[in-house]
Amino acid sequence: MTQFHASIGHLSSTQQGIYVASILLSASVSSLVSGVVSDRISRKYGILSGGALTMLGAVVSAASPTFASLIIARLITGVGAGQAIAVATVYLVEVAPVEIRGVAACLLQLYVTVGITAGYFVAFGSRNLAGSIAWRVPFVVQGAAALVLTVGMITLPFSPRWLVQNGRIEEARTVLRRLRDGEEKVESELREIEESRAKSQRGASAGFGEILNRRYFKRTAVGVLIMALQQMTGIDAVLYFAPILFRQAGLTTARASFLASGVTGLVLIACTIPAQIWVDSWGRKRPLIIGGSAMAVCLLVIGALYARYGTKTEGAVLMESHKAQWAVIVLIYLFTANFSWSWAVVGKIYACEIIPTRLRARVCAVEQLANWLMNFT
């Protein structure tokens, strides 16, 4: 974007890499401590404070006069986003009734995809504005979204499981009455939560060392592996470099490649919605197996097409065959679609559900750390 170059300067590939990596590194650290934070101050205030930090980072980004201040803003944003995302997953699982728990957890992924898509189109829509406002507008929109999250969390209840974990039984009962229909359901779920707490070593405080002991190690390892593999599918590489991929596949103009990237976001949304509706009837293992297999086929065929028809020109790989170009574009969309309905939603739900309530915040923090670190690599 020429307006960015005029106000900040042209960024080298190394500087671009540092800028992208900065949010991932700070988010990794933030997600690791998010379990401690949410156990101490509650899931509610964990999300609220994460939203506030994200908003602060967006404001500093929008007002940044130099590249150095952009990096600082990016680090602040990463701290907020890492905490908010990690804690939100736990919060949604804990407040939702068991029969719609998967659907509720899918909401987080749906909103993530909406944000990705909005980011493409906001950047596309602001590209022709005069002056530095062209690249500052996306940060303003990001700050507004973080403000909505922060203010919205004020009105939401505490997690009933967190309240029971901290001995606030009556408050948990009040929250369940607000969230459930009928006194019988309220008392039944409250008993289940108390029994779960009692089984988890009678309310002893959870520590990071405990999640690695023999009793819980396998569950922890499976959850961490799933969240790491979610990134190893390559989805964020596709999303980060979508304009470049589409340009190499034959959409040579910036306008065309940007619009194609926006369509990728729309595919994400469209394929996340069915998962949100039917995930609880699909189960957990089947979507992971089918979706993962479909993604693997898409990537193998893309690789084969580049090996057969790709030509390296001036540091880029371009497709010689027009049919192969369109095949790659379609396969990128198919890859994105299969990720959206399977690993994007089911992976997070399964990794969270297999962990006992008392350890859930700590383990989910480690899982999210694995996710961010794989994203970075």
Side-chain angles (χ1 to χ4, degrees):
M1 188 179 284
T2 57
Q3 300 94 321
F4 181 86
H5 296 159
S7 54
I8 300 296
H10 181 78
L11 301 184
S12 67
S13 58
T14 300
Q15 288 176 310
Q16 292 178 38
I18 292 172
Y19 183 69
V20 172
S22 58
I23 191 172
L24 302 176
L25 289 175
S26 60
S28 299
V29 176
S30 176
S31 64
L32 179 61
V33 301
S34 66
V36 178
V37 172
S38 65
D39 278 343
R40 292 278 180 85
I41 68 174
S42 78
R43 319 315 193 204
K44 173 178 176 175
Y45 290 133
I47 299 172
L48 189 152
S49 58
L53 285 170
T54 303
M55 181 175 61
L56 175 61
V59 170
V60 175
S61 294
S64 289
T66 64
F67 178 66
S69 59
L70 277 174
I71 292 295
I72 294 172
R74 191 77 164 171
L75 290 170
I76 296 172
T77 303
V79 172
Q83 178 171 305
I85 292 173
V87 180
T89 303
V90 178
Y91 181 78
L92 287 171
V93 169
E94 291 185 349
V95 300
V98 63
E99 59 269 16
I100 62 165
R101 187 170 293 158
V103 173
C106 284
L107 287 172
L108 178 61
Q109 181 61 28
L110 177 63
Y111 293 143
V112 168
T113 59
V114 170
I116 292 171
T117 307
Y120 282 130
F121 286 106
V122 169
F124 180 77
S126 67
R127 77 194 192 286
N128 291 325
L129 296 176
S132 65
I133 192 68
W135 62 268
R136 298 185 194 275
V137 163
F139 292 119
V140 173
V141 174
Q142 180 188 22
L147 176 62
V148 171
L149 172 64
T150 304
V151 174
M153 285 307 302
I154 297 174
T155 66
L156 295 180
F158 291 98
S159 161
R161 290 182 179 269
W162 179 84
L163 290 170
V164 171
Q165 184 177 315
N166 286 271
R168 296 159 63 174
I169 308 300
E170 286 305 315
E171 290 181 62
R173 181 177 281 110
T174 300
V175 169
L176 285 171
R177 283 172 179 160
R178 179 179 171 183
L179 298 175
R180 306 289 185 263
D181 294 326
E183 192 67 20
E184 184 178 343
K185 287 185 178 181
V186 169
E187 294 301 325
S188 175
E189 183 163 344
L190 189 60
R191 284 194 301 271
E192 183 272 324
I193 295 173
E194 290 182 298
E195 289 171 3
S196 176
R197 179 198 179 199
K199 288 179 181 178
S200 297
Q201 298 184 359
R202 298 182 179 179
S205 60
F208 281 109
E210 185 180 357
I211 70 178
L212 298 176
N213 73 22
R214 186 173 182 179
R215 182 177 181 184
Y216 301 114
F217 177 76
K218 289 184 178 179
R219 296 188 187 192
T220 301
V222 169
V224 170
L225 181 62
I226 287 175
M227 293 301 287
L229 288 173
Q230 187 189 67
Q231 284 300 327
M232 290 177 68
T233 61
I235 184 62
D236 275 348
V238 171
L239 296 178
Y240 289 156
F241 301 106
I244 297 174
L245 290 173
F246 286 120
R247 194 152 50 242
Q248 291 181 351
L251 300 178
T252 55
T253 67
R255 177 186 177 89
S257 62
F258 238 117
L259 285 174
S261 302
V263 173
T264 302
L266 294 176
V267 171
L268 281 170
I269 295 175
C271 295
T272 300
I273 292 174
Q276 183 177 345
I277 297 172
W278 292 302
V279 67
D280 286 313
S281 60
W282 288 346
R284 305 295 186 250
K285 289 177 61 175
R286 185 183 301 175
L288 294 177
I289 294 171
I290 297 175
S293 300
M295 286 188 289
V297 170
C298 290
L299 291 177
L300 287 171
V301 176
I302 290 173
L305 289 173
Y306 269 107
R308 175 66 178 83
Y309 299 104
T311 301
K312 190 173 182 179
T313 306
E314 298 180 356
V317 179
L318 302 178
M319 302 291 288
E320 295 178 339
S321 168
H322 186 68
K323 290 182 179 179
Q325 290 174 352
W326 282 106
V328 168
I329 292 170
V330 171
L331 285 166
I332 289 174
Y333 288 145
L334 287 174
F335 169 84
T336 305
N338 280 289
F339 175 82
S340 299
W341 72 264
S342 60
W343 279 80
V345 292
V346 180
K348 290 181 179 179
I349 297 170
Y350 185 69
C352 191
E353 284 181 337
I354 61 176
I355 307 301
T357 300
R358 189 171 57 82
L359 302 175
R360 187 170 290 156
R362 303 291 176 98
V363 177
C364 285
V366 176
E367 292 171 353
Q368 196 62 46
L369 171 66
N371 189 270
W372 283 111
L373 288 177
M374 290 307 304
N375 193 340
F376 172 71
T377 57

